[in-house]
Amino acid sequence: MDRLDTLTAISPIDGRYRGKTALLSGYFSEYALIKYRIRVEIEYFIALCELPLPQLKGFDTSLFPKLRNIYEGLTEEGAWRVKEIEKVTNHDVKAVEYYIKEQLDAIGGFEHYKEFIHFGLTSQDINNTSVPLSIKEALDQVIYPLLDELVELLRSYAEQWSSVAMLAKTHGQPASPTRLGKEIMVYVYRLTQQLNQLKACPITAKFGGATGNFNAHHVAYPDTDWREFGNQFVAEKLGLQREAYTTQISNYDSIGAVFDALRRVNTIIIDLDRDFWMYISMEYFKQKIKKGEVGSSAMPHKVNPIDFENSEGNLAISNALLQFLAAKLPVSRLQRDLTDSTVLRNVGVPFGHTVIAVESTLKGLRKLILNEQKLEADLEDNWAVVAEAIQTILRREAYPNPYEALKQLTRTNEKMTQQTIHDFVCSLDVDQDIKDQLLAITPHNYTGI
């Protein structure tokens, strides 16, 4: 894509953010879809030869590499040729079939075998294998490595800041202290759990003829177990699972599950983005300054947390689309209507917004500079948070009404200081060793395990 294409693209995925999403063009572009379709058609023909069907027993298997090169070596010019054929056929999958036959004519030696290209199939046998395959490979080769990178960066921060005490905030108010590393580890744990669920989702494909029954296959070769052939072809050649019972199209339930699982991952990252945005606003983190960058067109001092904001916005778009796709694709009239076709062409869009978002989150995280003095100051400024610790030990010692006593002390608009807490502890009617234990508790060390 040249500079003009980037400037005139309607979608920011192919325009402003092209640098971040270019990898996905190999899975979700029109070129990619054509290549995947050719791949399925060629591998299907090879599988028929390997079966073999009687009319294909004499096929020279040494030609398999040349067949595979039709999709492995597909150029943009080749893809354009498919589009030119489509202008005549007004049918995109039929155009792929005709293109392959043209390539076979160019290779030579296929005169008696050409009609086994797309033999017995309907368009959705190609589409509902090509698109799931593109989703699977985009997840494996782009999305998972990117998310793994995010998890590992967070894990390194969690280890680096494992001993940094931090005032917690529940309902936006000071709460029992925690450790910064542990709070980051929460996201490592959540993302890992949901990534495991996403990776466990089976990616399935429809492959069974015009209405899912192998009608044409069976009438031509009634003695062949076409269901078993279909299962093996989809599993061994494409690495997918074949849906046993379908209409003309995929049931899309498994793909919907993938979208829902990815949406949960995205939601966790939104939560992470907002938390780090808040930590920056609380001055727990400063941000690395890059010479020449502008934070505000009017306020020269501004260094805004724009990476986390960018990520949040893109994840929201991605989730909206993922939710729509998961809800729409499994619904079709009777044995098939065409609404899934145009919708299916958009499956790469939420992936694009997810990639943009995660790249932005990574960029934002890498700009963080820990401001430990601010964390320590906030802890020192909030001695009331040790009230929980004190009343819990007093409960252990059967002290009368400890919660109520601490509530009366701390639930006021007066500032609680170390002196206020220590004066209260010293006034308690308990043994000195208990007082010593209580006096040793501070907002800085009351951080749990």
Side-chain angles (χ1 to χ4, degrees):
M1 179 174 283
D2 61 27
R3 290 190 300 172
L4 181 60
D5 291 332
T6 303
L7 288 172
T8 58
I10 294 173
S11 168
I13 288 177
D14 290 317
R16 180 178 181 86
Y17 300 120
R18 179 71 179 181
K20 293 183 177 181
T21 61
L23 273 178
L24 289 176
S25 67
Y27 306 91
F28 299 118
S29 64
E30 185 73 3
Y31 165 82
L33 179 56
I34 291 169
K35 187 173 182 178
Y36 274 109
R37 284 167 166 167
I38 297 173
R39 175 176 167 184
V40 173
E41 292 276 16
I42 294 296
E43 292 299 336
Y44 171 62
F45 178 82
I46 290 173
L48 292 178
C49 292
E50 292 172 339
L51 189 57
L53 294 181
Q55 286 77 8
L56 292 172
K57 285 184 177 180
F59 185 79
D60 183 0
T61 58
S62 67
L63 292 173
F64 286 173
K66 289 186 177 181
L67 284 172
R68 289 194 167 104
N69 189 58
I70 296 175
Y71 69 81
E72 291 174 345
L74 182 70
T75 62
E76 289 187 12
E77 289 75 16
W80 274 118
R81 175 57 189 155
V82 175
K83 299 303 291 182
E84 289 171 357
I85 298 170
E86 185 185 338
K87 291 177 182 178
V88 178
T89 61
N90 197 31
H91 196 287
D92 47 6
V93 175
K94 201 65 177 176
V96 166
E97 177 189 343
Y98 289 167
Y99 172 79
I100 294 172
K101 289 178 177 178
E102 283 186 355
Q103 296 302 302
L104 297 183
D105 287 339
I107 295 172
F110 288 89
E111 290 77 11
H112 301 297
Y113 307 110
K114 283 197 303 182
E115 290 311 314
F116 285 92
I117 297 296
H118 201 71
F119 179 79
L121 300 183
T122 187
S123 300
Q124 289 308 104
D125 293 318
I126 304 303
N127 291 330
N128 287 158
T129 47
S130 295
V131 174
L133 186 55
S134 72
I135 291 172
K136 179 181 184 297
E137 293 186 343
L139 286 170
D140 290 343
Q141 298 168 22
V142 179
I143 302 298
Y144 292 153
L146 190 59
L147 290 173
D148 289 342
E149 184 180 353
L150 174 60
V151 170
E152 289 312 306
L153 179 59
L154 291 169
R155 192 189 304 277
S156 70
Y157 281 163
E159 294 171 357
Q160 181 180 341
W161 297 325
S162 61
S163 62
V164 176
M166 181 179 78
L167 182 69
K169 294 287 183 72
T170 59
H171 308 279
Q173 306 302 308
S176 298
T178 184
R179 291 182 184 272
L180 176 59
K182 175 261 170 178
E183 296 308 311
I184 295 175
M185 199 64 198
V186 169
Y187 285 108
V188 173
Y189 172 76
R190 292 175 66 190
L191 285 169
T192 300
Q193 292 291 307
Q194 294 306 315
L195 263 172
N196 288 340
Q197 290 192 31
L198 172 58
K199 292 175 181 178
C201 289
I203 300 182
T204 64
K206 179 267 175 180
F207 192 81
T211 54
N213 308 328
F214 287 109
N215 299 43
H217 293 80
H218 181 68
V219 77
Y221 296 98
D223 295 330
T224 299
D225 187 345
W226 288 109
R227 282 179 295 189
E228 181 58 24
F229 169 85
N231 291 339
Q232 289 184 3
F233 168 69
V234 171
E236 295 173 8
K237 296 291 187 181
L238 306 179
L240 306 170
Q241 294 184 27
R242 179 178 167 268
E243 298 167 15
Y245 295 93
T246 69
T247 59
Q248 185 178 92
I249 62 174
S250 168
N251 301 316
Y252 293 117
D253 301 320
S254 296
I255 293 298
V258 169
F259 293 157
D260 283 337
L262 180 58
R263 187 159 55 89
R264 290 195 299 274
V265 171
N266 285 350
T267 298
I268 294 169
I269 302 174
I270 289 175
D271 199 22
L272 181 153
D273 288 334
R274 292 179 178 180
D275 272 6
F276 277 97
W277 189 98
M278 289 293 294
Y279 290 145
I280 292 170
S281 75
M282 293 155 60
E283 298 182 359
Y284 286 2
F285 292 103
K286 296 182 183 296
Q287 298 176 89
K288 295 175 183 176
I289 298 172
K290 185 175 181 180
K291 186 176 181 180
E293 282 190 352
V294 174
S296 166
S297 62
M299 295 172 280
H301 69 285
K302 297 290 288 296
V303 184
N304 297 325
I306 57 172
D307 300 302
F308 297 109
E309 295 168 344
N310 177 283
S311 175
E312 182 181 344
N314 277 287
L315 288 168
I317 296 172
S318 178
N319 277 3
L321 292 169
L322 290 169
Q323 184 174 27
F324 164 73
L325 290 167
K328 160 61 202 111
L329 286 172
V331 179
S332 185
R333 295 172 182 84
L334 303 180
Q335 281 65 56
R336 195 262 169 105
D337 64 40
L338 198 65
T339 54
D340 67 307
S341 179
T342 188
V343 169
L344 206 59
R345 288 180 174 274
N346 291 277
V347 296
V349 180
F351 282 79
H353 285 287
T354 293
V355 166
I356 295 165
V358 177
E359 290 279 10
S360 292
T361 297
L362 285 166
K363 184 179 178 182
L365 290 171
R366 291 182 176 123
K367 289 164 65 174
L368 295 178
I369 301 172
L370 179 64
N371 184 8
E372 199 164 353
Q373 292 80 7
K374 178 59 177 176
L375 277 79
E376 292 173 353
D378 271 6
L379 288 165
E380 189 63 31
D381 201 39
N382 284 278
W383 271 80
V385 297
V386 303
E388 178 192 45
I390 295 171
Q391 64 97 8
T392 302
I393 291 175
L394 292 178
R395 281 174 182 263
R396 183 193 70 192
E397 300 299 319
Y399 191 88
N401 304 316
Y403 176 87
E404 287 72 20
L406 269 298
K407 175 183 175 184
Q408 183 176 356
L409 173 69
T410 60
R411 195 176 169 89
T412 69
N413 287 323
E414 295 182 11
K415 184 178 179 58
M416 292 293 106
T417 64
Q418 180 182 24
Q419 190 63 50
T420 308
I421 296 296
H422 283 193
D423 288 348
F424 172 80
V425 170
C426 291
S427 71
L428 295 172
D429 185 16
V430 295
D431 292 342
Q432 186 59 44
D433 62 330
I434 301 300
K435 289 183 179 180
D436 291 342
Q437 184 179 0
L438 296 176
L439 291 170
I441 300 170
T442 75
H444 304 275
N445 64 23
Y446 179 51
T447 57
I449 56 175

